[in-house]
Amino acid sequence: MIRILRLMTVIILTGSPVAQAEHPLDPLSWQEHWQILEVLQKNSRLDFTTQISQIRLIEPEKAKVWAWEPGQKLARGAFVVLRHAGNAHEIDIDLSKGTITRDAVIEARNVSWSSNEFFIGMEAALSHPAFIEGLAKRGFDDPTFLNCFTIPPGYFGTEEEQGLRIGHLRCQSAKGVRNPWPRQIEGLTAVIDMNQGTVIKVVDEFDGGLHNTTADYDLESVAPLRDMPPPLMVRQGASPGYLHVGHQVWWQKWSFHARVDQREGLVISTVRYGDDEARPVLYQGYLSEIFVPYMDPGFAWHARNFIDSGEFIGLGLYQPLLPGKDCPSEATYQDALNTDASGRPRVIANVLCIFERDSGDPAWRHFEANISDSRPSRDLIVRVAAVIGNYDYLIDWVFQQNGSIVVRLGATGIVESKMSGAANAAEQSKKRPADAYGHFVDQHIVGVNHSHYFNFRLDLDVDGQENTFSKDRLVTQSLDGNRRKSVWVQSQEVLEREQSAMLNKNYSMPALWRVLSNTRKNHVGYPTSYQLRPGATAETLLLPEDYPRMRAGFIDHHLWVTPYNARERYAAGEYPTLSEPGQGLPQWTSANRNIDRTDLVLWYTMGMHHLVRAEDWPVMPILWHEFELRPFDFFDRNPALDIPPER
Amino acid sequence: MIRILRLMTVIILTGSPVAQAEHPLDPLSWQEHWQILEVLQKNSRLDFTTQISQIRLIEPEKAKVWAWEPGQKLARGAFVVLRHAGNAHEIDIDLSKGTITRDAVIEARNVSWSSNEFFIGMEAALSHPAFIEGLAKRGFDDPTFLNCFTIPPGYFGTEEEQGLRIGHLRCQSAKGVRNPWPRQIEGLTAVIDMNQGTVIKVVDEFDGGLHNTTADYDLESVAPLRDMPPPLMVRQGASPGYLHVGHQVWWQKWSFHARVDQREGLVISTVRYGDDEARPVLYQGYLSEIFVPYMDPGFAWHARNFIDSGEFIGLGLYQPLLPGKDCPSEATYQDALNTDASGRPRVIANVLCIFERDSGDPAWRHFEANISDSRPSRDLIVRVAAVIGNYDYLIDWVFQQNGSIVVRLGATGIVESKMSGAANAAEQSKKRPADAYGHFVDQHIVGVNHSHYFNFRLDLDVDGQENTFSKDRLVTQSLDGNRRKSVWVQSQEVLEREQSAMLNKNYSMPALWRVLSNTRKNHVGYPTSYQLRPGATAETLLLPEDYPRMRAGFIDHHLWVTPYNARERYAAGEYPTLSEPGQGLPQWTSANRNIDRTDLVLWYTMGMHHLVRAEDWPVMPILWHEFELRPFDFFDRNPALDIPPER
């Protein structure tokens, strides 16, 4: 509260909340985006054939950002990846000086898919005899109402792929339906040379034509709706309980910076806790990568192993929230910018929402005959939505009054499905069941088995940048000469090297994962710390030699710990498009660097295997997974003790 | 909605909602409680020395309850356990006839602790020389301000215990403090013969006296409070979105019966889903047992291995909720009855609350350029609070619009602590650290390591009583001659015998646990089913030969599946007080009964290991764990599709 008052005083004195709200981690502004394009143009790096695959802020040095005070200006920079057919460059721009400070050639094959590449190869495929024949076999003599998309098929180490930027093109029939996703023209794939826009080959796995099951879910298609329930309205006072100025947020005893980037989505930075003393907890956290491998060996499916965040930056992963639906009515919203292949900025409205939630749960309680107490709790939620074609993910950062931060990911949207010749489970061939690699969700429609992995990069700075990672195993201790034969005890291991800190959650070998401060102890002599407490997750079932697993090697472990390096930002590497095995975490940690008494980054993966139910069709009820950053001896007592007793 | 209208019509026509609200599973009424006492008295089973350890409703046959229609009367019965010193009986009473229908002698040693037994042995201990000396050593020459309690120490197979009902008595100093729990007079235990009220022996493990660290957390002690945040009020219309008549609840498309019993707490019964056709999902679900073993081998601690629900029925486990704090302001509350050792009924006010929650999350959403949709969701929560001395547990049954039921358990209250001679982690002996079996939370106070296990008895009846249990493993399939080397596939195993269905959640061998209907299939030919989806849980770390583990054998597995048997109600058996090993699930399943195509009961255990943090002191922030009963092909599509689009 003291900090908020201080800020408000500054605002009142200077008369400009906007100026005071500037923060060195603020996203690239509209003006900065155009400045980037002008600098590129002036330096002959840009023409109308240039494909820009990403633009992002180069953040100032971490120590400077922690030390930043309102009003102070730090250097601004931008990182740009651009491509001219087979040539690609990484370019650093100093925005303060308007100059290019670095220009490095990179492998063009691996830059992310540009927004226009989804349509490359369509003309070639639709005029290719084998593709035309495949369409005809399935009942399409006229491609007028088809949607065709070319997507990156990953990498399998084959001869065919060497040196090429390859895409796989498939079509769906949009005729008459609102929801074309299930109208897959199944088993017909054109392999495209993306630089030439030509068809390398057509693979046809015919299993029957298109069936007319619809999966529309609009109001008309679903009618009648259930009755509108009696109102249940959340009403807040004249102002919400949080202060949101620019990209900075103050709520209860928390303060942090929140921006939405094109690749990372919601980036939460400089998280501090405390009124009188704002203690650092987390320098930065965001969803670093999404990996979704499908589990059907057919040619049309074997290559659907999406490393979404890295491959589809150009798709514009973060899309508007629908006010009053995706967030409650009283939420506040913020826009953000993204860029298409031309590099021009576009406004994405309502991309972030913030709201307080009274869940109806107490923060704590104890009932005793003569002294019962309980304190109502509320949370602050910051939310964005990623949309990757058919799938939608809500990402929530939930700040709690008890010092915890819960990060939640809700999967919803439309499951990827396969059109099957067999109608359903009863009518399919017993010998070659159509649901061998999925599950029927409607007539002729099989939801295909798949998994999701979400890696969060968590740059914790617990009471400062010098931290240590502790794995506190709970181990059985046998007891001799005691009535009890055993107890469990804490066995603390400080992990000193990266390769000792590749960890999996395992119920038979429980352990606490903690980041300890090296410079501060609590009132009873323990180092202050934050614990990463996993929720439900999953382990990969792919064989170690399977390419998709090797390309997204971060899924080998639920947790990795690395020393801080500003250039290591994405779990599957900077360029996971058509990438070769071993990028990102496996590569960085191969050096087995020191992680003791240094600045640490945690990489946590939340996984889920999805065997699709009928209930997941045609739109999937949201399924939440979460993990918690939990104070452990960071405070001297329950920090929620001082919550007022009334709602 | 149709069912609600039908019920409301009945109410209007008969003019008596109360009469219509009678249900065969309604709790024993005030009048029935007194009738029970009168029948016992008339039949010479009761005098003023009788200790009544439990009274509960004998439910009518399950098939009759499912078939019950409003207005119909089914027989009412009561089950009573009473004790006269060394003799104990189980008595069945027919309340319709006012007769005793069964009277069986049982082992008196194992009936649950009566409310007055907590004080047996106090006089003897406080006049025992060794105990007096122990108190004096710790600075207590006068026991006036001590609270002493005798609690059941379990069973360790020693000579000393044979044939006796034993208690362990310890004291705390209540002088001047609001919260006496941490004022443990540490390491001084009197072993009591409960039938004689005498001291068998005194065990003194002196480690220093009482220290004056306080752990009061009332408003005055905690002041100053943080500022009251701006209001965030939930306002509902003239009526809530649910109908609660008697003990029956209708909400959205759900209907169920909810009562609060003395041992089970919240009992949710006859859960059905559907408007036009109310389809059975769950016959009954409740928390069947709580087990909390501590992890300190000292004499004063080795025997703290509480099988709470069974041992402490007489304590009155379920206590009032604090309106507007433990539940939101707009919640509705219901009272219940419990009984003390005299068998007389007492009203426990506000023991249950019901409320709707708008979490601000969508039920589902999909964003597409031209067709974006999202639907606001709300849940119905039914909540009770168990209070077991120092610890508080909230138990929530959360009904969702998507057909799922989430059961949550929130642990809060006061952690059990040990008074230590050493002041803190910095000042303790390095050779014999005071925190070897716990963690300092304040000066001289060590929160002792412990685990919690909560077993839920879930009598699912998915589209009828004839069900089958399916374990759907996700297994790696190697691929030959494919670019992909592997996929995972579903491998369904119908488990036919109890011993094949003792299951543990294991991330490296994932499986879905489902209860399938044998009589109904969905529109694509799969059996309808509900899945039990675990959240975070824990496995025991105790050695198999350790008595506490053997006495609460249900913790050996996260899930057990048994054929329905009305007498098998509690995971650690009917009488876990001072019980010998193997009671409950291990005993029942030793017959390895058939579980295929029959009426099934699932027993799921949610576990947590608690290494206490400073933040858990002096009252612990609530820590939630949960599991989900999730429709899997129960519906033909997402049942939340028809939610209206506005809040």
Side-chain angles (χ1 to χ4, degrees):
Chain A
M1 202 42 78
I2 289 168
R3 278 184 71 87
I4 297 186
L5 291 178
R6 208 180 291 150
L7 180 88
M8 295 185 81
T9 311
V10 171
I11 292 171
I12 292 160
L13 291 178
T14 63
S16 165
V18 176
Q20 292 308 323
E22 277 176 15
H23 188 283
L25 298 183
D26 283 351
L28 291 167
S29 68
W30 182 269
Q31 291 77 8
E32 286 174 328
H33 269 288
W34 279 102
Q35 190 193 356
I36 291 163
L37 296 177
E38 282 169 38
V39 170
L40 291 172
Q41 186 193 30
K42 222 185 307 176
N43 290 277
S44 308
R45 302 300 205 286
L46 195 66
D47 61 41
F48 65 90
T49 70
T50 311
Q51 300 293 315
I52 294 198
S53 90
Q54 58 176 310
I55 298 181
R56 69 165 184 260
L57 176 72
I58 296 177
E59 298 182 350
E61 253 178 68
K62 190 170 159 175
K64 286 187 184 163
V65 175
W66 271 131
W68 175 83
E69 292 282 343
Q72 190 188 351
K73 292 267 176 212
L74 296 185
R76 300 279 291 173
F79 171 87
V80 180
V81 179
L82 49 76
R83 192 165 65 85
H84 296 88
N87 301 309
H89 292 248
E90 266 181 359
I91 294 172
D92 289 355
I93 295 174
D94 182 326
L95 290 167
S96 313
K97 301 188 183 132
T99 55
I100 288 176
T101 54
R102 194 176 70 95
D103 183 342
V105 172
I106 56 167
E107 182 56 69
R109 210 158 61 87
N110 299 124
V111 305
S112 68
W113 226 238
S114 295
S115 47
N116 61 344
E117 283 186 285
F118 293 97
F119 308 103
I120 287 179
M122 190 171 85
E123 224 177 291
L126 293 179
S127 52
H128 188 284
F131 204 83
I132 291 171
E133 190 194 323
L135 287 175
K137 223 191 278 182
R138 289 162 177 84
F140 294 94
D141 291 327
D142 181 341
T144 307
F145 299 123
L146 301 187
N147 295 339
C148 303
F149 302 106
T150 305
I151 55 173
Y155 181 80
F156 293 91
T158 63
E159 277 300 314
E160 176 184 284
E161 296 163 293
Q162 301 312 315
L164 293 185
R165 184 164 171 96
I166 279 182
H168 279 191
L169 176 142
R170 284 187 305 272
C171 302
Q172 53 185 219
S173 166
K175 194 164 126 191
V177 291
R178 294 166 179 89
N179 174 10
W181 290 106
R183 292 293 176 106
Q184 188 79 41
I185 296 178
E186 193 54 52
L188 185 63
T189 310
V191 179
I192 307 294
D193 177 330
M194 298 300 287
N195 290 332
Q196 308 298 325
T198 53
V199 174
I200 297 173
K201 68 177 178 188
V202 170
V203 179
D204 189 346
E205 310 154 286
F206 185 65
D207 172 47
L210 188 80
H211 298 276
N212 61 1
T213 312
T214 61
D216 288 352
Y217 54 87
D218 56 291
L219 294 177
E220 191 185 330
S221 305
V222 166
L225 295 185
R226 65 178 74 184
D227 296 339
M228 186 77 192
L232 187 70
M233 300 296 292
V234 176
R235 296 201 17 173
Q236 74 192 5
S239 65
Y242 52 90
L243 186 65
H244 186 193
V245 182
H247 300 274
Q248 297 170 73
V249 180
W250 289 262
W251 177 77
Q252 297 283 320
K253 300 183 183 182
W254 290 103
S255 69
F256 58 91
H257 184 275
R259 71 165 188 258
V260 180
D261 275 2
Q262 185 154 1
R263 180 168 184 170
E264 296 87 342
L266 181 56
V267 180
I268 298 287
S269 304
T270 59
V271 179
R272 295 178 168 97
Y273 188 96
D275 266 353
D276 302 325
E277 183 197 1
R279 296 165 62 190
V281 172
L282 177 86
Y283 181 68
Q284 197 164 79
Y286 56 81
L287 177 56
S288 98
E289 196 49 88
I290 305 173
F291 176 52
V292 186
Y294 284 79
M295 299 294 153
D296 184 311
F299 190 85
W301 284 89
H302 81 288
R304 297 196 210 185
N305 306 295
F306 303 116
I307 307 182
D308 285 312
S309 299
E311 288 178 333
F312 298 123
I313 306 168
L315 195 61
L317 296 175
Y318 292 87
Q319 294 291 343
L321 293 160
L322 306 180
K325 296 181 178 178
D326 288 329
C327 308
S329 319
E330 75 281 5
T332 54
Y333 296 82
Q334 196 166 49
D335 302 343
L337 299 176
N338 72 14
T339 56
D340 60 15
S342 76
R344 296 179 198 184
R346 298 178 306 191
V347 175
I348 308 295
N350 301 332
V351 79
L352 168 147
C353 78
I354 301 193
F355 58 99
E356 281 187 292
R357 172 161 61 204
D358 178 346
S359 61
D361 297 340
W364 52 265
R365 66 104 67 186
H366 180 58
F367 186 91
E368 194 87 40
N370 301 316
I371 173 173
S372 294
D373 209 346
S374 172
R375 301 299 167 80
S377 67
R378 58 168 82 179
D379 297 334
L380 182 76
I381 291 98
V382 187
R383 174 173 291 171
V384 295
V387 183
I388 300 135
N390 53 304
Y391 246 113
D392 299 51
Y393 304 115
L394 294 196
I395 296 104
D396 282 8
W397 281 69
V398 183
F399 293 84
Q400 303 188 337
Q401 291 168 310
N402 59 17
S404 282
I405 302 170
V406 174
V407 181
R408 302 169 78 216
L409 190 142
T412 177
I414 299 170
V415 167
E416 272 211 67
S417 64
K418 181 170 173 168
M419 192 64 78
S420 154
N424 57 48
E427 292 174 26
Q428 68 185 338
S429 149
K430 289 251 158 67
K431 264 181 105 178
R432 295 192 53 197
D435 62 1
Y437 302 105
H439 202 76
F440 278 102
V441 291
D442 205 341
Q443 305 306 315
H444 296 287
I445 298 183
V446 173
V448 176
N449 297 341
H450 60 282
S451 303
H452 300 253
Y453 299 91
F454 304 94
N455 180 274
F456 288 86
R457 180 180 182 274
L458 303 163
D459 179 1
L460 286 147
D461 283 2
V462 179
D463 276 323
Q465 286 181 235
E466 197 194 312
N467 290 170
T468 283
F469 185 83
S470 167
K471 176 176 146 192
D472 295 278
R473 292 168 54 214
L474 308 184
V475 296
T476 303
Q477 185 177 85
S478 299
L479 300 173
D480 276 340
N482 195 299
R483 291 177 174 193
R484 279 286 286 275
K485 301 301 168 209
S486 58
V487 291
W488 60 253
V489 294
Q490 173 189 14
S491 166
Q492 185 171 24
E493 284 177 35
V494 165
L495 303 186
E496 295 178 359
R497 294 275 160 185
E498 288 176 299
Q499 290 175 12
S500 63
M502 297 169 174
L503 304 174
N504 281 54
K505 181 163 169 66
N506 180 339
Y507 284 122
S508 62
M509 298 182 68
L512 281 73
W513 298 337
R514 293 197 293 147
V515 174
L516 315 179
S517 168
N518 287 121
T519 50
R520 185 156 176 161
K521 292 192 165 161
N522 81 345
H523 72 324
V524 285
Y526 297 117
T528 61
S529 82
Y530 259 76
Q531 177 195 0
L532 191 158
R533 181 173 167 259
T537 186
E539 268 180 24
T540 183
L541 295 167
L542 297 179
L543 293 176
E545 62 270 28
D546 208 357
Y547 270 88
R549 173 163 172 182
M550 293 191 290
R551 293 177 54 242
F554 71 87
I555 65 169
D556 283 359
H557 303 287
H558 292 136
L559 187 72
W560 305 65
V561 183
T562 60
Y564 173 79
N565 179 331
R567 292 261 165 197
E568 296 174 1
R569 294 186 62 83
Y570 311 106
E574 187 75 48
Y575 302 107
T577 308
L578 309 177
S579 62
E580 293 182 26
Q583 309 294 301
L585 282 167
Q587 184 189 323
W588 305 327
T589 57
S590 67
N592 202 18
R593 294 168 294 188
N594 173 61
I595 53 168
D596 188 25
R597 302 185 165 266
T598 186
D599 191 352
L600 299 180
V601 177
L602 269 55
W603 305 78
Y604 175 68
T605 295
M606 185 191 270
M608 51 186 104
H609 299 305
H610 194 177
L611 183 69
V612 183
R613 319 168 287 168
E615 287 82 356
D616 293 330
W617 196 254
V619 192
M620 177 183 164
I622 195 160
L623 177 65
W624 291 99
H625 283 72
E626 64 180 41
F627 66 89
E628 182 182 352
L629 296 175
R630 185 176 167 76
F632 194 109
D633 295 338
F634 187 80
F635 300 102
D636 289 342
R637 62 177 196 180
N638 176 351
L641 273 189
D642 66 345
I643 295 177
E646 271 122 46
R647 274 202 155 73
Chain B
M1 200 43 77
I2 288 169
R3 279 183 69 87
I4 296 186
L5 291 178
R6 208 181 290 151
L7 179 89
M8 294 186 82
T9 312
V10 172
I11 291 172
I12 291 160
L13 292 177
T14 63
S16 166
V18 176
Q20 292 308 324
E22 276 176 15
H23 187 284
L25 298 183
D26 282 351
L28 293 166
S29 68
W30 181 269
Q31 290 78 7
E32 285 174 329
H33 268 288
W34 278 103
Q35 190 193 354
I36 291 162
L37 296 177
E38 283 170 36
V39 170
L40 291 173
Q41 186 194 31
K42 223 185 305 176
N43 290 277
S44 308
R45 302 299 206 289
L46 195 65
D47 61 39
F48 66 89
T49 69
T50 312
Q51 299 294 315
I52 294 197
S53 90
Q54 59 176 309
I55 298 181
R56 69 165 183 259
L57 176 72
I58 296 177
E59 298 182 350
E61 255 178 65
K62 188 169 159 175
K64 287 187 183 162
V65 175
W66 271 131
W68 174 83
E69 292 281 345
Q72 191 189 349
K73 292 268 176 213
L74 296 185
R76 299 279 290 173
F79 170 87
V80 180
V81 178
L82 49 75
R83 190 165 65 84
H84 297 88
N87 301 309
H89 292 247
E90 268 182 357
I91 294 172
D92 289 356
I93 294 174
D94 182 328
L95 289 168
S96 313
K97 300 189 183 129
T99 55
I100 288 176
T101 54
R102 194 175 72 95
D103 183 342
V105 173
I106 56 168
E107 183 56 69
R109 210 158 59 89
N110 299 123
V111 304
S112 69
W113 226 237
S114 296
S115 48
N116 62 343
E117 283 185 285
F118 293 96
F119 307 104
I120 287 179
M122 190 171 84
E123 225 177 291
L126 292 179
S127 52
H128 188 284
F131 204 82
I132 292 171
E133 191 192 323
L135 287 176
K137 224 191 279 181
R138 291 162 175 83
F140 294 93
D141 291 328
D142 180 342
T144 307
F145 300 123
L146 300 188
N147 294 340
C148 302
F149 302 106
T150 305
I151 55 173
Y155 181 79
F156 292 91
T158 63
E159 275 303 313
E160 177 185 283
E161 295 163 292
Q162 301 311 317
L164 292 184
R165 184 165 171 94
I166 279 182
H168 280 191
L169 176 141
R170 286 187 303 273
C171 302
Q172 53 185 219
S173 166
K175 194 165 127 192
V177 290
R178 294 166 178 89
N179 174 11
W181 289 106
R183 291 294 176 106
Q184 189 78 39
I185 296 179
E186 193 54 51
L188 185 62
T189 311
V191 179
I192 306 295
D193 177 330
M194 297 301 287
N195 290 333
Q196 307 299 324
T198 52
V199 173
I200 296 171
K201 67 176 178 189
V202 169
V203 179
D204 188 347
E205 308 155 286
F206 185 67
D207 173 46
L210 188 81
H211 298 277
N212 61 3
T213 312
T214 62
D216 290 352
Y217 55 86
D218 57 292
L219 294 177
E220 193 185 329
S221 305
V222 166
L225 295 184
R226 66 177 75 183
D227 296 341
M228 185 77 191
L232 188 68
M233 299 296 293
V234 177
R235 296 201 17 174
Q236 73 193 5
S239 65
Y242 52 90
L243 186 65
H244 187 195
V245 182
H247 299 273
Q248 297 169 74
V249 180
W250 288 263
W251 177 78
Q252 295 283 319
K253 300 183 184 182
W254 290 104
S255 69
F256 58 91
H257 183 274
R259 71 166 189 259
V260 180
D261 276 2
Q262 187 154 359
R263 181 167 182 171
E264 295 88 340
L266 181 56
V267 180
I268 297 288
S269 304
T270 59
V271 179
R272 293 177 169 99
Y273 188 97
D275 266 354
D276 302 325
E277 183 196 3
R279 296 165 63 189
V281 172
L282 178 84
Y283 181 67
Q284 197 165 78
Y286 56 81
L287 177 57
S288 99
E289 196 50 88
I290 304 172
F291 175 52
V292 187
Y294 283 79
M295 298 296 153
D296 184 312
F299 190 86
W301 284 89
H302 81 289
R304 298 196 210 186
N305 306 296
F306 304 116
I307 308 183
D308 285 311
S309 299
E311 288 177 333
F312 297 123
I313 306 168
L315 194 62
L317 296 176
Y318 292 88
Q319 294 291 343
L321 293 160
L322 307 180
K325 294 180 179 179
D326 288 329
C327 308
S329 318
E330 75 281 4
T332 55
Y333 295 83
Q334 196 167 48
D335 302 343
L337 299 176
N338 73 12
T339 55
D340 61 14
S342 75
R344 298 179 197 183
R346 298 178 304 190
V347 176
I348 307 295
N350 301 332
V351 79
L352 168 148
C353 78
I354 302 192
F355 59 98
E356 281 186 291
R357 172 162 58 205
D358 178 347
S359 62
D361 297 340
W364 51 266
R365 65 104 66 186
H366 180 57
F367 186 91
E368 193 88 40
N370 301 315
I371 172 173
S372 294
D373 208 347
S374 171
R375 301 298 166 81
S377 68
R378 57 168 83 179
D379 297 334
L380 182 76
I381 291 99
V382 187
R383 173 174 292 171
V384 296
V387 183
I388 300 135
N390 52 305
Y391 247 113
D392 299 51
Y393 304 114
L394 295 195
I395 296 104
D396 281 8
W397 282 69
V398 182
F399 293 84
Q400 303 188 337
Q401 291 169 309
N402 59 16
S404 282
I405 303 170
V406 173
V407 182
R408 301 169 79 215
L409 190 142
T412 176
I414 299 170
V415 167
E416 272 211 66
S417 64
K418 182 170 172 168
M419 192 65 75
S420 154
N424 57 49
E427 292 175 25
Q428 67 185 339
S429 148
K430 289 252 157 70
K431 264 181 106 178
R432 296 193 52 198
D435 62 1
Y437 301 106
H439 202 77
F440 278 101
V441 291
D442 206 340
Q443 306 305 315
H444 296 287
I445 298 183
V446 173
V448 177
N449 296 341
H450 60 283
S451 303
H452 301 254
Y453 300 92
F454 304 95
N455 181 274
F456 287 86
R457 180 181 183 273
L458 303 164
D459 180 0
L460 285 147
D461 284 1
V462 179
D463 277 323
Q465 287 182 235
E466 197 193 310
N467 289 169
T468 282
F469 185 84
S470 167
K471 177 175 144 191
D472 295 277
R473 292 168 55 216
L474 308 184
V475 296
T476 303
Q477 186 178 83
S478 299
L479 299 173
D480 276 341
N482 196 299
R483 291 177 174 192
R484 278 286 285 275
K485 301 301 167 208
S486 58
V487 292
W488 60 253
V489 294
Q490 174 188 14
S491 167
Q492 186 171 23
E493 284 177 35
V494 165
L495 303 186
E496 295 178 359
R497 295 274 160 186
E498 286 176 300
Q499 290 175 14
S500 62
M502 298 168 174
L503 304 174
N504 281 53
K505 181 163 169 64
N506 180 340
Y507 284 121
S508 61
M509 298 182 68
L512 281 71
W513 298 337
R514 293 196 294 146
V515 174
L516 314 180
S517 168
N518 287 122
T519 50
R520 184 155 178 161
K521 291 191 164 161
N522 81 344
H523 71 325
V524 286
Y526 297 117
T528 61
S529 82
Y530 260 75
Q531 175 195 1
L532 191 159
R533 181 172 168 260
T537 184
E539 269 180 24
T540 182
L541 295 167
L542 296 180
L543 293 176
E545 63 271 27
D546 208 357
Y547 271 89
R549 172 164 172 182
M550 293 192 291
R551 293 178 54 241
F554 71 87
I555 65 168
D556 283 359
H557 304 286
H558 292 136
L559 186 71
W560 305 64
V561 183
T562 61
Y564 173 79
N565 179 330
R567 293 260 165 199
E568 295 175 1
R569 293 187 62 82
Y570 311 107
E574 187 74 49
Y575 301 106
T577 308
L578 309 177
S579 62
E580 293 182 27
Q583 310 292 303
L585 281 166
Q587 185 189 322
W588 306 327
T589 56
S590 66
N592 201 17
R593 295 169 293 187
N594 173 60
I595 52 168
D596 187 24
R597 301 186 163 267
T598 188
D599 191 352
L600 299 180
V601 177
L602 268 55
W603 306 76
Y604 175 69
T605 294
M606 186 191 272
M608 52 186 101
H609 299 305
H610 194 176
L611 183 68
V612 182
R613 319 168 287 170
E615 287 82 356
D616 293 329
W617 196 253
V619 191
M620 179 184 161
I622 196 161
L623 178 64
W624 292 98
H625 284 71
E626 65 181 40
F627 66 90
E628 181 181 352
L629 297 174
R630 185 175 166 78
F632 195 109
D633 295 339
F634 187 80
F635 301 102
D636 289 342
R637 62 178 196 179
N638 175 353
L641 273 189
D642 66 345
I643 295 177
E646 270 122 48
R647 273 203 156 73

